[in-house]
Amino acid sequence: MMSSLYIGATGLKAHGEGMSVVTNNLANVNTVGFKQTMAMYQDLVSQVVPSRSNFVTNLSQSGAGARIGETRKIFTQGGFENGSEATDMAISGIGFYGVTHNGVTQYTRAGNFRFTKDGELVDPGGWNVLGRVFRNGVEGKAAEPINLDFSTGPNGVGRMAGKATTSVTLASQLGGLENIYDDAANPYFSMAAAWDGTNSKPPAAYSYREPIDIYDSEGNTRQAYIYYDKATEKNGVKVMEYVVGIDPSEDAAKAGTKGAGLLMAGTLSFSSTNQLINMTGFNFSGSDPTNLSAYTAASLVNGSPAFNVNYTATKAQTVSLDMGLALSGNSGGGFVTAAAAAAAPDTLFEAAPGAVRSDRATTAYGSRPALQYSTNDGYPEGYLRGLELGTDGLLVGQYNNGESMDLARITLYRFTSQDGLHREGDNRFSATKDSGEITEGIPGEENFGTLAGWSLEQSNVDYAREFTSMIITQRGFQMNSKVITTSDQMLQKALELKR
């Protein structure tokens, strides 16, 4: 009877501790990233009782009660709820965020992070989030506390400097072009030869023109134009001439001359099926546009002819013109100058050797010319307007000039045994010798989970399971209390026997 009192007491203690586990789970039902625990009961060491059995000797045992053997962490995935910032982030899959404070590193699944006024990314307890910071566009190789300078100064990410244009890509539909500027003696470069930079709006005549946005070395938007005119047609092959120019008053290199504003001239050749098969480009560097020897074959950048432009008060820049045909070799169709091409134009009616036409290339379709597509790699300066987080952990700045810039990458950590982690409170865990090796990685790679911005991982507490456990624990506690009261009554009866 004395042992039954003890056993009942162990049952009360064990179920009381079990109720604490259930209570803690339910208390943290709304805790971000919380991982529930499970009480694992086990029996206490049993004692051997004498046995008179003829078949079994000294193997009879009597139990000594119960206890909580362990409280096991359950790391199942929690559901997602909407966050209020891009720095509210949730892990889908394996991994923990790393956070550090005063040289101590801990780990968490709760991604409710915020930037401080000093640019530090921290959790609610002020611990710094670990990640790889980008500097001058290069991602750091080692994780460090993420600290960004959000100012608009030279080293701040609050402002993005403008980028000078180095490449213009456009695709046009040039069907319906007319021979407006008809010069029988010079049909392929007639517009260029007629250019007069002393006139505020050259050339004098053209069939069609398109604007080209160019950003100068200061990030300012500048305007250039490409002018088209039909040249001639032979055996179904159509040759058109074009001129690239800017406002003569903005040309710092040739200001005051007839060649002011004239940048490049060339030809476009289209097959009988209206596909672009040849293109030439000649840069003009003289002062007399009628001198075709002053037009030299343009250099090729990724197969596209490039022109030089020097806007007033800015640095000179080279801009390639991609119209969908990547040339191989010489941009002048084998000719060094426009004069040589004009003297022997037969090659203009042939496909350029080795040229590769893209799916989006200029054509001669349609009855009216029109611009189909245009873009360039330059942009004006911009100011930070928001942040976005990629599934790969990239924290990207979004700027009001339409551009973006990688700022940092959130790193994740996994362990040989995450069950060996020690709870530290405030949604954090610390590594122990039982958690094993720590591995750092990038979200989405090497068996690490992915990240979701504007989201938070909810607690993984299962309400139904916890209420069921609470009822079972209550019944266990109640039955053990009944064992104690019954054993007490039996002892009272035993004591009454001697009276």
Side-chain angles (χ1 to χ4, degrees):
M1 286 185 289
M2 292 298 295
S3 63
S4 64
L5 284 171
Y6 172 76
I7 292 171
T10 63
L12 287 178
K13 184 174 184 297
H15 284 85
E17 293 175 355
M19 185 61 76
S20 297
V21 173
V22 174
T23 303
N24 187 62
N25 286 339
L26 292 174
N28 285 282
V29 71
N30 289 315
T31 300
V32 178
F34 179 78
K35 299 303 177 185
Q36 66 178 332
T37 53
M38 176 188 295
M40 307 297 292
Y41 296 87
Q42 65 184 40
D43 63 339
L44 292 172
V45 62
S46 298
Q47 61 182 347
V48 177
V49 295
S51 173
R52 296 182 178 277
S53 171
N54 294 328
F55 304 102
V56 181
T57 305
N58 293 332
L59 291 181
S60 297
Q61 293 179 290
S62 175
R67 66 177 181 180
I68 298 292
E70 65 170 325
T71 53
R72 179 175 297 171
K73 305 176 191 71
I74 302 176
F75 286 98
T76 56
Q77 180 75 52
F80 287 3
E81 64 178 344
N82 292 333
S84 58
E85 295 285 346
T87 53
D88 282 335
M89 54 190 77
I91 302 172
S92 176
I94 297 173
F96 294 81
Y97 308 106
V99 292
T100 184
H101 183 67
N102 292 334
V104 177
T105 300
Q106 294 180 357
Y107 307 91
T108 181
R109 290 281 296 196
N112 48 332
F113 305 134
R114 287 292 184 275
F115 279 104
T116 67
K117 63 181 179 63
D118 297 318
E120 299 179 53
L121 186 62
V122 299
D123 73 359
W127 287 57
N128 296 87
V129 181
L130 294 175
R132 302 176 188 175
V133 179
F134 283 77
R135 293 181 175 87
N136 298 320
V138 179
E139 181 177 351
K141 296 182 178 180
E144 60 181 285
I146 295 176
N147 189 351
L148 302 178
D149 179 3
F150 287 108
S151 74
T152 57
N155 298 318
V157 300
R159 173 185 173 273
M160 176 187 286
K163 178 180 180 296
T165 298
T166 62
S167 174
V168 172
T169 301
L170 57 87
S172 303
Q173 179 177 289
L174 299 179
L177 283 186
E178 299 179 16
N179 192 355
I180 299 298
Y181 203 98
D182 189 7
D183 184 352
N186 181 20
Y188 305 102
F189 301 95
S190 57
M191 281 195 305
W195 186 281
D196 184 356
T198 61
N199 182 348
S200 61
K201 294 183 180 181
Y206 54 86
S207 180
Y208 173 63
R209 79 170 183 177
E210 292 171 342
I212 301 176
D213 288 332
I214 295 179
Y215 296 97
D216 64 21
S217 59
E218 303 299 322
N220 301 311
T221 305
R222 300 281 191 164
Q223 194 82 72
Y225 289 95
I226 180 167
Y227 303 87
Y228 299 97
D229 199 49
K230 187 174 181 180
T232 185
E233 183 173 344
K234 179 180 178 181
N235 297 327
V237 176
K238 294 180 281 292
V239 177
M240 302 175 187
E241 61 173 313
Y242 71 89
V243 169
V244 179
I246 62 173
D247 187 328
S249 64
E250 293 185 333
D251 191 343
K254 302 185 292 293
T257 69
K258 285 189 174 183
L262 179 57
L263 306 179
M264 185 169 70
T267 59
L268 300 171
S269 303
F270 298 90
S271 69
S272 58
T273 59
N274 296 314
Q275 299 296 318
L276 183 62
I277 60 172
N278 204 338
M279 177 181 185
T280 64
F282 297 91
N283 288 337
F284 178 74
S285 57
S287 59
D288 181 10
T290 63
N291 180 14
L292 296 187
S293 295
Y295 298 80
T296 56
S299 60
L300 291 179
V301 178
N302 297 323
S304 300
F307 57 86
N308 299 314
V309 58
N310 189 359
Y311 290 104
T312 305
T314 66
K315 298 177 182 178
Q317 60 195 98
T318 299
V319 181
S320 64
L321 180 61
D322 181 3
M323 302 183 74
L325 189 70
L327 301 174
S328 175
N330 185 289
S331 68
F335 299 105
V336 177
T337 66
D346 287 346
T347 57
L348 302 180
F349 295 90
E350 301 173 358
V356 179
R357 185 174 57 249
S358 69
D359 294 334
R360 179 179 281 175
T362 293
T363 68
Y365 289 125
S367 57
R368 296 184 62 185
L371 177 64
Q372 302 294 312
Y373 172 80
S374 178
T375 185
N376 74 78
D377 64 348
Y379 47 79
E381 71 173 10
Y383 292 88
L384 187 67
R385 62 177 178 81
L387 299 172
E388 290 296 334
L389 182 74
T391 58
D392 57 357
L394 273 178
L395 192 62
V396 180
Q398 303 291 337
Y399 293 79
N400 62 1
N401 60 357
E403 299 296 318
S404 61
M405 181 167 62
D406 295 338
L407 304 179
R409 187 192 299 274
I410 308 298
T411 49
L412 294 182
Y413 301 83
R414 68 170 187 258
F415 304 86
T416 305
S417 174
Q418 58 187 8
D419 293 303
L421 294 172
H422 182 265
R423 288 186 187 269
E424 297 290 347
D426 294 329
N427 291 344
R428 296 192 295 270
F429 297 87
S430 62
T432 68
K433 61 181 180 64
D434 296 321
S435 59
E437 181 182 1
I438 305 172
T439 303
E440 176 189 308
I442 295 173
E445 296 183 2
E446 300 174 349
N447 201 33
F448 284 96
T450 58
L451 295 188
W454 298 86
S455 302
L456 291 172
E457 184 182 7
Q458 297 174 317
S459 167
N460 70 343
V461 172
D462 185 333
Y463 305 95
R465 176 186 174 280
E466 295 306 317
F467 275 105
T468 300
S469 296
M470 183 166 55
I471 294 171
I472 294 174
T473 303
Q474 178 197 18
R475 293 302 184 194
F477 188 92
Q478 187 177 22
M479 287 184 286
N480 279 277
S481 66
K482 188 64 176 179
V483 168
I484 293 175
T485 57
T486 301
S487 297
D488 179 62
Q489 292 173 0
M490 293 173 66
L491 282 172
Q492 291 295 329
K493 281 296 182 182
L495 291 173
E496 290 175 3
L497 293 176
K498 68 177 185 178
R499 294 180 182 174

